[in-house]
PDB file of all heavy atoms in Angstrom:
ATOM      1  N   VAL A   1       0.896  -1.242  -0.004  1.00  0.00           N
ATOM      2  CA  VAL A   1       0.067   0.045   0.064  1.00  0.00           C
ATOM      3  C   VAL A   1       0.911   1.310  -0.006  1.00  0.00           C
ATOM      4  O   VAL A   1       0.653   2.136  -0.734  1.00  0.00           O
ATOM      5  CB  VAL A   1      -0.998  -0.006   1.266  1.00  0.00           C
ATOM      6  CG1 VAL A   1      -1.716   1.337   1.344  1.00  0.00           C
ATOM      7  CG2 VAL A   1      -1.964  -1.120   1.141  1.00  0.00           C
ATOM      8  N   TRP A   2       1.926   1.286   0.778  1.00  0.00           N
ATOM      9  CA  TRP A   2       2.813   2.404   0.979  1.00  0.00           C
ATOM     10  C   TRP A   2       3.584   2.543  -0.365  1.00  0.00           C
ATOM     11  O   TRP A   2       3.891   3.701  -0.818  1.00  0.00           O
ATOM     12  CB  TRP A   2       3.648   2.352   2.112  1.00  0.00           C
ATOM     13  CG  TRP A   2       2.958   2.729   3.412  1.00  0.00           C
ATOM     14  CD1 TRP A   2       2.571   1.802   4.357  1.00  0.00           C
ATOM     15  CD2 TRP A   2       2.548   3.974   3.789  1.00  0.00           C
ATOM     16  NE1 TRP A   2       1.998   2.458   5.297  1.00  0.00           N
ATOM     17  CE2 TRP A   2       1.815   3.764   5.090  1.00  0.00           C
ATOM     18  CE3 TRP A   2       2.686   5.265   3.248  1.00  0.00           C
ATOM     19  CZ2 TRP A   2       1.321   4.985   5.772  1.00  0.00           C
ATOM     20  CZ3 TRP A   2       2.232   6.391   3.947  1.00  0.00           C
ATOM     21  CH2 TRP A   2       1.478   6.188   5.133  1.00  0.00           C
ATOM     22  N   VAL A   3       4.036   1.451  -0.920  1.00  0.00           N
ATOM     23  CA  VAL A   3       4.818   1.523  -2.189  1.00  0.00           C
ATOM     24  C   VAL A   3       3.923   2.166  -3.292  1.00  0.00           C
ATOM     25  O   VAL A   3       4.372   2.955  -3.976  1.00  0.00           O
ATOM     26  CB  VAL A   3       5.298   0.133  -2.656  1.00  0.00           C
ATOM     27  CG1 VAL A   3       5.908   0.188  -3.962  1.00  0.00           C
ATOM     28  CG2 VAL A   3       6.247  -0.563  -1.548  1.00  0.00           C
ATOM     29  N   GLY A   4       2.627   1.874  -3.364  1.00  0.00           N
ATOM     30  CA  GLY A   4       1.690   2.375  -4.227  1.00  0.00           C
ATOM     31  C   GLY A   4       1.485   3.789  -4.019  1.00  0.00           C
ATOM     32  O   GLY A   4       1.485   4.579  -5.053  1.00  0.00           O
ATOM     33  N   ILE A   5       1.361   4.219  -2.753  1.00  0.00           N
ATOM     34  CA  ILE A   5       1.155   5.736  -2.413  1.00  0.00           C
ATOM     35  C   ILE A   5       2.411   6.552  -2.939  1.00  0.00           C
ATOM     36  O   ILE A   5       2.311   7.505  -3.498  1.00  0.00           O
ATOM     37  CB  ILE A   5       0.854   5.799  -0.951  1.00  0.00           C
ATOM     38  CG1 ILE A   5      -0.586   5.203  -0.647  1.00  0.00           C
ATOM     39  CG2 ILE A   5       0.823   7.306  -0.559  1.00  0.00           C
ATOM     40  CD1 ILE A   5      -0.782   5.243   0.904  1.00  0.00           C
ATOM     41  N   ILE A   6       3.560   5.876  -2.507  1.00  0.00           N
ATOM     42  CA  ILE A   6       4.780   6.603  -2.887  1.00  0.00           C
ATOM     43  C   ILE A   6       4.901   6.735  -4.389  1.00  0.00           C
ATOM     44  O   ILE A   6       5.326   7.772  -5.032  1.00  0.00           O
ATOM     45  CB  ILE A   6       5.955   6.051  -2.239  1.00  0.00           C
ATOM     46  CG1 ILE A   6       5.931   6.111  -0.730  1.00  0.00           C
ATOM     47  CG2 ILE A   6       7.252   6.581  -2.706  1.00  0.00           C
ATOM     48  CD1 ILE A   6       6.913   5.351   0.046  1.00  0.00           C
ATOM     49  N   GLY A   7       4.666   5.588  -5.039  1.00  0.00           N
ATOM     50  CA  GLY A   7       4.673   5.481  -6.518  1.00  0.00           C
ATOM     51  C   GLY A   7       3.869   6.569  -7.316  1.00  0.00           C
ATOM     52  O   GLY A   7       4.130   7.238  -8.111  1.00  0.00           O
ATOM     53  N   ALA A   8       2.589   6.606  -6.675  1.00  0.00           N
ATOM     54  CA  ALA A   8       1.501   7.669  -7.238  1.00  0.00           C
ATOM     55  C   ALA A   8       2.092   9.180  -7.070  1.00  0.00           C
ATOM     56  O   ALA A   8       2.038   9.959  -7.888  1.00  0.00           O
ATOM     57  CB  ALA A   8       0.253   7.430  -6.623  1.00  0.00           C
ATOM     58  N   GLY A   9       2.668   9.311  -5.859  1.00  0.00           N
ATOM     59  CA  GLY A   9       3.239  10.645  -5.496  1.00  0.00           C
ATOM     60  C   GLY A   9       4.364  10.983  -6.466  1.00  0.00           C
ATOM     61  O   GLY A   9       4.412  12.134  -7.026  1.00  0.00           O
ATOM     62  N   LEU A  10       5.300  10.040  -6.758  1.00  0.00           N
ATOM     63  CA  LEU A  10       6.377  10.274  -7.594  1.00  0.00           C
ATOM     64  C   LEU A  10       5.944  10.534  -9.091  1.00  0.00           C
ATOM     65  O   LEU A  10       6.361  11.449  -9.711  1.00  0.00           O
ATOM     66  CB  LEU A  10       7.367   9.168  -7.631  1.00  0.00           C
ATOM     67  CG  LEU A  10       8.090   8.858  -6.351  1.00  0.00           C
ATOM     68  CD1 LEU A  10       8.912   7.580  -6.387  1.00  0.00           C
ATOM     69  CD2 LEU A  10       9.101  10.077  -6.155  1.00  0.00           C
ATOM     70  N   VAL A  11       4.914   9.694  -9.488  1.00  0.00           N
ATOM     71  CA  VAL A  11       4.433   9.854 -10.909  1.00  0.00           C
ATOM     72  C   VAL A  11       3.697  11.228 -11.059  1.00  0.00           C
ATOM     73  O   VAL A  11       3.943  11.886 -12.095  1.00  0.00           O
ATOM     74  CB  VAL A  11       3.411   8.718 -11.251  1.00  0.00           C
ATOM     75  CG1 VAL A  11       2.672   8.998 -12.550  1.00  0.00           C
ATOM     76  CG2 VAL A  11       4.229   7.446 -11.363  1.00  0.00           C
ATOM     77  N   VAL A  12       2.942  11.600 -10.048  1.00  0.00           N
ATOM     78  CA  VAL A  12       2.134  12.900 -10.196  1.00  0.00           C
ATOM     79  C   VAL A  12       2.917  14.147  -9.844  1.00  0.00           C
ATOM     80  O   VAL A  12       2.918  15.112 -10.643  1.00  0.00           O
ATOM     81  CB  VAL A  12       0.904  12.863  -9.226  1.00  0.00           C
ATOM     82  CG1 VAL A  12       0.200  14.197  -9.224  1.00  0.00           C
ATOM     83  CG2 VAL A  12      -0.035  11.704  -9.637  1.00  0.00           C
ATOM     84  N   LEU A  13       3.667  14.156  -8.765  1.00  0.00           N
ATOM     85  CA  LEU A  13       4.414  15.231  -8.359  1.00  0.00           C
ATOM     86  C   LEU A  13       5.791  15.373  -8.963  1.00  0.00           C
ATOM     87  O   LEU A  13       6.369  16.482  -9.001  1.00  0.00           O
ATOM     88  CB  LEU A  13       4.524  15.314  -6.818  1.00  0.00           C
ATOM     89  CG  LEU A  13       3.209  15.367  -6.093  1.00  0.00           C
ATOM     90  CD1 LEU A  13       3.439  15.378  -4.555  1.00  0.00           C
ATOM     91  CD2 LEU A  13       2.377  16.620  -6.512  1.00  0.00           C
ATOM     92  N   GLY A  14       6.465  14.236  -9.247  1.00  0.00           N
ATOM     93  CA  GLY A  14       7.859  14.220  -9.804  1.00  0.00           C
ATOM     94  C   GLY A  14       8.094  15.178 -10.887  1.00  0.00           C
ATOM     95  O   GLY A  14       8.970  16.019 -10.921  1.00  0.00           O
ATOM     96  N   PRO A  15       7.229  15.041 -12.134  1.00  0.00           N
ATOM     97  CA  PRO A  15       7.486  15.951 -13.170  1.00  0.00           C
ATOM     98  C   PRO A  15       7.307  17.370 -12.757  1.00  0.00           C
ATOM     99  O   PRO A  15       8.018  18.295 -13.371  1.00  0.00           O
ATOM    100  CB  PRO A  15       6.374  15.506 -14.232  1.00  0.00           C
ATOM    101  CG  PRO A  15       6.020  14.108 -13.838  1.00  0.00           C
ATOM    102  CD  PRO A  15       6.197  14.066 -12.300  1.00  0.00           C
ATOM    103  N   VAL A  16       6.351  17.792 -11.835  1.00  0.00           N
ATOM    104  CA  VAL A  16       6.222  19.188 -11.441  1.00  0.00           C
ATOM    105  C   VAL A  16       7.434  19.734 -10.788  1.00  0.00           C
ATOM    106  O   VAL A  16       7.994  20.779 -11.130  1.00  0.00           O
ATOM    107  CB  VAL A  16       4.946  19.223 -10.536  1.00  0.00           C
ATOM    108  CG1 VAL A  16       4.763  20.666 -10.081  1.00  0.00           C
ATOM    109  CG2 VAL A  16       3.784  18.822 -11.229  1.00  0.00           C
ATOM    110  N   VAL A  17       7.847  18.909  -9.747  1.00  0.00           N
ATOM    111  CA  VAL A  17       9.121  19.223  -9.014  1.00  0.00           C
ATOM    112  C   VAL A  17      10.286  19.405 -10.004  1.00  0.00           C
ATOM    113  O   VAL A  17      11.037  20.434  -9.791  1.00  0.00           O
ATOM    114  CB  VAL A  17       9.335  18.362  -7.885  1.00  0.00           C
ATOM    115  CG1 VAL A  17      10.755  18.581  -7.254  1.00  0.00           C
ATOM    116  CG2 VAL A  17       8.138  18.296  -6.868  1.00  0.00           C
ATOM    117  N   TRP A  18      10.495  18.413 -10.843  1.00  0.00           N
ATOM    118  CA  TRP A  18      11.667  18.457 -11.732  1.00  0.00           C
ATOM    119  C   TRP A  18      11.582  19.707 -12.736  1.00  0.00           C
ATOM    120  O   TRP A  18      12.500  20.312 -12.960  1.00  0.00           O
ATOM    121  CB  TRP A  18      11.754  17.138 -12.582  1.00  0.00           C
ATOM    122  CG  TRP A  18      12.934  17.093 -13.342  1.00  0.00           C
ATOM    123  CD1 TRP A  18      12.979  17.264 -14.690  1.00  0.00           C
ATOM    124  CD2 TRP A  18      14.368  16.922 -13.003  1.00  0.00           C
ATOM    125  NE1 TRP A  18      14.282  17.181 -15.197  1.00  0.00           N
ATOM    126  CE2 TRP A  18      15.108  16.995 -14.128  1.00  0.00           C
ATOM    127  CE3 TRP A  18      14.949  16.771 -11.766  1.00  0.00           C
ATOM    128  CZ2 TRP A  18      16.481  16.935 -14.036  1.00  0.00           C
ATOM    129  CZ3 TRP A  18      16.274  16.616 -11.695  1.00  0.00           C
ATOM    130  CH2 TRP A  18      17.090  16.672 -12.834  1.00  0.00           C
ATOM    131  N   GLY A  19      10.405  20.093 -13.244  1.00  0.00           N
ATOM    132  CA  GLY A  19      10.213  21.144 -13.907  1.00  0.00           C
ATOM    133  C   GLY A  19      10.594  22.508 -13.338  1.00  0.00           C
ATOM    134  O   GLY A  19      11.234  23.328 -13.904  1.00  0.00           O
ATOM    135  N   LEU A  20      10.252  22.601 -12.017  1.00  0.00           N
ATOM    136  CA  LEU A  20      10.679  23.761 -11.212  1.00  0.00           C
ATOM    137  C   LEU A  20      12.149  23.811 -11.050  1.00  0.00           C
ATOM    138  O   LEU A  20      12.714  24.941 -11.122  1.00  0.00           O
ATOM    139  CB  LEU A  20       9.925  23.793  -9.866  1.00  0.00           C
ATOM    140  CG  LEU A  20       8.441  23.888  -9.939  1.00  0.00           C
ATOM    141  CD1 LEU A  20       7.802  23.735  -8.486  1.00  0.00           C
ATOM    142  CD2 LEU A  20       8.019  25.282 -10.528  1.00  0.00           C
ATOM    143  N   VAL A  21      12.744  22.692 -10.671  1.00  0.00           N
ATOM    144  CA  VAL A  21      14.162  22.599 -10.600  1.00  0.00           C
ATOM    145  C   VAL A  21      14.976  22.953 -11.792  1.00  0.00           C
ATOM    146  O   VAL A  21      15.926  23.810 -11.844  1.00  0.00           O
ATOM    147  CB  VAL A  21      14.614  21.205 -10.031  1.00  0.00           C
ATOM    148  CG1 VAL A  21      16.262  21.035 -10.082  1.00  0.00           C
ATOM    149  CG2 VAL A  21      14.140  20.898  -8.709  1.00  0.00           C
ATOM    150  N   ARG A  22      14.463  22.437 -13.006  1.00  0.00           N
ATOM    151  CA  ARG A  22      15.093  22.753 -14.302  1.00  0.00           C
ATOM    152  C   ARG A  22      14.920  24.191 -14.582  1.00  0.00           C
ATOM    153  O   ARG A  22      15.799  24.812 -15.105  1.00  0.00           O
ATOM    154  CB  ARG A  22      14.426  21.798 -15.268  1.00  0.00           C
ATOM    155  CG  ARG A  22      15.031  21.927 -16.662  1.00  0.00           C
ATOM    156  CD  ARG A  22      14.425  20.841 -17.568  1.00  0.00           C
ATOM    157  NE  ARG A  22      15.229  20.798 -18.876  1.00  0.00           N
ATOM    158  CZ  ARG A  22      15.029  21.657 -19.937  1.00  0.00           C
ATOM    159  NH1 ARG A  22      14.127  22.582 -19.882  1.00  0.00           N
ATOM    160  NH2 ARG A  22      15.740  21.626 -20.994  1.00  0.00           N
ATOM    161  N   ARG A  23      13.755  24.709 -14.313  1.00  0.00           N
ATOM    162  CA  ARG A  23      13.552  26.225 -14.754  1.00  0.00           C
ATOM    163  C   ARG A  23      14.607  27.084 -13.778  1.00  0.00           C
ATOM    164  O   ARG A  23      15.096  27.939 -14.378  1.00  0.00           O
ATOM    165  CB  ARG A  23      12.059  26.595 -14.372  1.00  0.00           C
ATOM    166  CG  ARG A  23      11.781  28.000 -14.771  1.00  0.00           C
ATOM    167  CD  ARG A  23      10.247  28.271 -14.557  1.00  0.00           C
ATOM    168  NE  ARG A  23       9.441  27.406 -15.168  1.00  0.00           N
ATOM    169  CZ  ARG A  23       8.212  27.531 -15.118  1.00  0.00           C
ATOM    170  NH1 ARG A  23       7.563  28.260 -14.217  1.00  0.00           N
ATOM    171  NH2 ARG A  23       7.439  26.604 -15.860  1.00  0.00           N
ATOM    172  N   ALA A  24      14.657  26.717 -12.581  1.00  0.00           N
ATOM    173  CA  ALA A  24      15.595  27.516 -11.742  1.00  0.00           C
ATOM    174  C   ALA A  24      17.040  27.312 -12.210  1.00  0.00           C
ATOM    175  O   ALA A  24      17.740  28.344 -12.210  1.00  0.00           O
ATOM    176  CB  ALA A  24      15.469  26.967 -10.287  1.00  0.00           C
ATOM    177  N   ALA A  25      17.425  26.190 -12.605  1.00  0.00           N
ATOM    178  CA  ALA A  25      18.803  26.029 -13.134  1.00  0.00           C
ATOM    179  C   ALA A  25      19.072  26.805 -14.342  1.00  0.00           C
ATOM    180  O   ALA A  25      20.075  27.414 -14.493  1.00  0.00           O
ATOM    181  CB  ALA A  25      19.059  24.485 -13.323  1.00  0.00           C
ATOM    182  N   LEU A  26      18.120  26.742 -15.276  1.00  0.00           N
ATOM    183  CA  LEU A  26      18.229  27.424 -16.543  1.00  0.00           C
ATOM    184  C   LEU A  26      18.154  28.902 -16.334  1.00  0.00           C
ATOM    185  O   LEU A  26      18.936  29.715 -17.026  1.00  0.00           O
ATOM    186  CB  LEU A  26      17.165  27.043 -17.491  1.00  0.00           C
ATOM    187  CG  LEU A  26      17.194  25.622 -17.988  1.00  0.00           C
ATOM    188  CD1 LEU A  26      15.972  25.268 -18.947  1.00  0.00           C
ATOM    189  CD2 LEU A  26      18.418  25.352 -18.768  1.00  0.00           C
ATOM    190  N   SER A  27      17.431  29.373 -15.273  1.00  0.00           N
ATOM    191  CA  SER A  27      17.431  30.846 -14.978  1.00  0.00           C
ATOM    192  C   SER A  27      18.707  31.292 -14.508  1.00  0.00           C
ATOM    193  O   SER A  27      19.200  32.326 -14.876  1.00  0.00           O
ATOM    194  CB  SER A  27      16.239  31.004 -14.019  1.00  0.00           C
ATOM    195  OG  SER A  27      16.258  32.375 -13.599  1.00  0.00           O
ATOM    196  N   ARG A  28      19.335  30.423 -13.592  1.00  0.00           N
ATOM    197  CA  ARG A  28      20.793  30.806 -13.108  1.00  0.00           C
ATOM    198  C   ARG A  28      21.723  30.808 -14.198  1.00  0.00           C
ATOM    199  O   ARG A  28      22.548  31.753 -14.242  1.00  0.00           O
ATOM    200  CB  ARG A  28      21.162  29.827 -11.970  1.00  0.00           C
ATOM    201  CG  ARG A  28      20.372  30.009 -10.638  1.00  0.00           C
ATOM    202  CD  ARG A  28      21.222  29.212  -9.606  1.00  0.00           C
ATOM    203  NE  ARG A  28      21.227  27.855  -9.940  1.00  0.00           N
ATOM    204  CZ  ARG A  28      20.394  26.896  -9.516  1.00  0.00           C
ATOM    205  NH1 ARG A  28      19.240  27.196  -8.928  1.00  0.00           N
ATOM    206  NH2 ARG A  28      20.640  25.619  -9.770  1.00  0.00           N
ATOM    207  N   ASP A  29      21.714  29.817 -15.116  1.00  0.00           N
ATOM    208  CA  ASP A  29      22.609  29.872 -16.277  1.00  0.00           C
ATOM    209  C   ASP A  29      22.487  31.071 -17.116  1.00  0.00           C
ATOM    210  O   ASP A  29      23.425  31.737 -17.570  1.00  0.00           O
ATOM    211  CB  ASP A  29      22.482  28.566 -16.940  1.00  0.00           C
ATOM    212  CG  ASP A  29      22.902  27.338 -16.279  1.00  0.00           C
ATOM    213  OD1 ASP A  29      23.785  27.440 -15.483  1.00  0.00           O
ATOM    214  OD2 ASP A  29      22.501  26.204 -16.642  1.00  0.00           O
ATOM    215  N   GLY A  30      21.176  31.386 -17.387  1.00  0.00           N
ATOM    216  CA  GLY A  30      21.019  32.596 -18.176  1.00  0.00           C
ATOM    217  C   GLY A  30      21.490  33.846 -17.538  1.00  0.00           C
ATOM    218  O   GLY A  30      22.102  34.749 -18.166  1.00  0.00           O
ATOM    219  N   SER A  31      21.276  34.032 -16.208  1.00  0.00           N
ATOM    220  CA  SER A  31      21.783  35.151 -15.468  1.00  0.00           C
ATOM    221  C   SER A  31      23.262  35.231 -15.585  1.00  0.00           C
ATOM    222  O   SER A  31      23.845  36.322 -15.662  1.00  0.00           O
ATOM    223  CB  SER A  31      21.267  35.145 -13.995  1.00  0.00           C
ATOM    224  OG  SER A  31      19.800  35.208 -13.998  1.00  0.00           O
ATOM    225  N   ARG A  32      23.960  34.045 -15.361  1.00  0.00           N
ATOM    226  CA  ARG A  32      25.462  33.998 -15.363  1.00  0.00           C
ATOM    227  C   ARG A  32      25.927  34.379 -16.725  1.00  0.00           C
ATOM    228  O   ARG A  32      26.811  35.147 -16.764  1.00  0.00           O
ATOM    229  CB  ARG A  32      25.973  32.603 -14.994  1.00  0.00           C
ATOM    230  CG  ARG A  32      27.356  32.366 -14.751  1.00  0.00           C
ATOM    231  CD  ARG A  32      27.706  30.958 -14.484  1.00  0.00           C
ATOM    232  NE  ARG A  32      27.141  30.556 -13.223  1.00  0.00           N
ATOM    233  CZ  ARG A  32      26.171  29.534 -13.172  1.00  0.00           C
ATOM    234  NH1 ARG A  32      25.633  29.041 -14.297  1.00  0.00           N
ATOM    235  NH2 ARG A  32      25.634  29.325 -11.949  1.00  0.00           N
ATOM    236  N   ARG A  33      25.363  33.921 -17.838  1.00  0.00           N
ATOM    237  CA  ARG A  33      25.819  34.261 -19.164  1.00  0.00           C
ATOM    238  C   ARG A  33      25.587  35.678 -19.465  1.00  0.00           C
ATOM    239  O   ARG A  33      26.430  36.405 -20.096  1.00  0.00           O
ATOM    240  CB  ARG A  33      25.152  33.421 -20.104  1.00  0.00           C
ATOM    241  CG  ARG A  33      25.665  32.052 -20.222  1.00  0.00           C
ATOM    242  CD  ARG A  33      24.945  31.287 -21.349  1.00  0.00           C
ATOM    243  NE  ARG A  33      23.543  30.933 -20.984  1.00  0.00           N
ATOM    244  CZ  ARG A  33      22.737  30.260 -21.870  1.00  0.00           C
ATOM    245  NH1 ARG A  33      23.202  30.013 -23.102  1.00  0.00           N
ATOM    246  NH2 ARG A  33      21.541  30.079 -21.471  1.00  0.00           N
ATOM    247  N   GLY A  34      24.382  36.275 -18.867  1.00  0.00           N
ATOM    248  CA  GLY A  34      24.179  37.714 -19.045  1.00  0.00           C
ATOM    249  C   GLY A  34      25.243  38.519 -18.297  1.00  0.00           C
ATOM    250  O   GLY A  34      25.707  39.557 -18.893  1.00  0.00           O
ATOM    251  N   ARG A  35      25.594  38.217 -17.169  1.00  0.00           N
ATOM    252  CA  ARG A  35      26.623  38.999 -16.450  1.00  0.00           C
ATOM    253  C   ARG A  35      27.996  38.820 -17.129  1.00  0.00           C
ATOM    254  O   ARG A  35      28.717  39.857 -17.191  1.00  0.00           O
ATOM    255  CB  ARG A  35      26.784  38.385 -14.935  1.00  0.00           C
ATOM    256  CG  ARG A  35      25.530  38.820 -14.109  1.00  0.00           C
ATOM    257  CD  ARG A  35      25.897  38.680 -12.578  1.00  0.00           C
ATOM    258  NE  ARG A  35      26.265  37.228 -12.282  1.00  0.00           N
ATOM    259  CZ  ARG A  35      25.288  36.356 -11.961  1.00  0.00           C
ATOM    260  NH1 ARG A  35      24.050  36.689 -11.856  1.00  0.00           N
ATOM    261  NH2 ARG A  35      25.713  35.047 -11.650  1.00  0.00           N
ATOM    262  N   ALA A  36      28.340  37.643 -17.594  1.00  0.00           N
ATOM    263  CA  ALA A  36      29.696  37.417 -18.355  1.00  0.00           C
ATOM    264  C   ALA A  36      29.602  38.245 -19.630  1.00  0.00           C
ATOM    265  O   ALA A  36      30.672  38.986 -19.885  1.00  0.00           O
ATOM    266  CB  ALA A  36      29.784  35.909 -18.758  1.00  0.00           C
ATOM    267  N   GLY A  37      28.435  38.367 -20.323  1.00  0.00           N
ATOM    268  CA  GLY A  37      28.379  39.117 -21.503  1.00  0.00           C
ATOM    269  C   GLY A  37      28.604  40.567 -21.217  1.00  0.00           C
ATOM    270  O   GLY A  37      29.251  41.395 -21.932  1.00  0.00           O
ATOM    271  N   ALA A  38      27.822  41.104 -20.117  1.00  0.00           N
ATOM    272  CA  ALA A  38      27.994  42.533 -19.750  1.00  0.00           C
ATOM    273  C   ALA A  38      29.445  42.843 -19.314  1.00  0.00           C
ATOM    274  O   ALA A  38      30.004  43.969 -19.744  1.00  0.00           O
ATOM    275  CB  ALA A  38      27.026  42.860 -18.648  1.00  0.00           C
ATOM    276  N   GLY A  39      30.134  41.971 -18.780  1.00  0.00           N
ATOM    277  CA  GLY A  39      31.426  42.163 -18.347  1.00  0.00           C
ATOM    278  C   GLY A  39      32.397  42.253 -19.510  1.00  0.00           C
ATOM    279  O   GLY A  39      33.336  43.214 -19.532  1.00  0.00           O
ATOM    280  N   SER A  40      32.205  41.414 -20.475  1.00  0.00           N
ATOM    281  CA  SER A  40      33.017  41.498 -21.697  1.00  0.00           C
ATOM    282  C   SER A  40      32.821  42.750 -22.519  1.00  0.00           C
ATOM    283  O   SER A  40      33.727  43.184 -23.062  1.00  0.00           O
ATOM    284  CB  SER A  40      32.847  40.305 -22.520  1.00  0.00           C
ATOM    285  OG  SER A  40      31.508  40.259 -23.060  1.00  0.00           O
ATOM    286  N   ARG A  41      31.552  43.318 -22.410  1.00  0.00           N
ATOM    287  CA  ARG A  41      31.425  44.492 -23.144  1.00  0.00           C
ATOM    288  C   ARG A  41      31.999  45.705 -22.461  1.00  0.00           C
ATOM    289  O   ARG A  41      32.366  46.744 -23.125  1.00  0.00           O
ATOM    290  CB  ARG A  41      29.872  44.677 -23.255  1.00  0.00           C
ATOM    291  CG  ARG A  41      29.046  43.808 -24.301  1.00  0.00           C
ATOM    292  CD  ARG A  41      27.755  44.285 -24.643  1.00  0.00           C
ATOM    293  NE  ARG A  41      26.905  44.184 -23.486  1.00  0.00           N
ATOM    294  CZ  ARG A  41      26.092  43.188 -23.130  1.00  0.00           C
ATOM    295  NH1 ARG A  41      26.162  42.077 -23.852  1.00  0.00           N
ATOM    296  NH2 ARG A  41      25.394  43.252 -22.053  1.00  0.00           N
ATOM    297  N   ARG A  42      32.092  45.664 -21.239  1.00  0.00           N
ATOM    298  CA  ARG A  42      32.763  46.807 -20.445  1.00  0.00           C
ATOM    299  C   ARG A  42      34.294  46.788 -20.575  1.00  0.00           C
ATOM    300  O   ARG A  42      34.896  47.730 -20.150  1.00  0.00           O
ATOM    301  CB  ARG A  42      32.288  46.689 -18.931  1.00  0.00           C
ATOM    302  CG  ARG A  42      30.889  47.129 -18.706  1.00  0.00           C
ATOM    303  CD  ARG A  42      30.640  47.447 -17.247  1.00  0.00           C
ATOM    304  NE  ARG A  42      30.996  46.273 -16.423  1.00  0.00           N
ATOM    305  CZ  ARG A  42      30.030  45.441 -16.055  1.00  0.00           C
ATOM    306  NH1 ARG A  42      28.866  45.487 -16.449  1.00  0.00           N
ATOM    307  NH2 ARG A  42      30.310  44.363 -15.283  1.00  0.00           N
TER     308      ARG A  42
END
C-alpha cells in the first residue's frame, strides 16, 4: 500500500518538481551568461 502511495506521488508530483528545478537551473545559467556578456562589453 505504501509502495503504491509513494509511486503515485512520484508519478504525479515528480514531473512538477523536476520542472521547477530545471527552470531554476536554466534561469541561473541565463543570469550567469548575461553577467559574463556585460562584463566582456565593459
Side-chain angles (χ1 to χ4, degrees):
V1 172
W2 283 106
V3 174
I5 292 173
I6 295 171
L10 291 173
V11 170
V12 174
L13 299 178
V16 176
V17 174
W18 184 253
L20 294 174
V21 171
R22 187 174 187 275
R23 182 179 301 177
L26 293 177
S27 177
R28 285 197 302 271
D29 289 334
S31 300
R32 188 182 297 110
R33 283 183 289 176
R35 290 194 300 269
S40 64
R41 286 192 297 269
R42 290 196 297 268

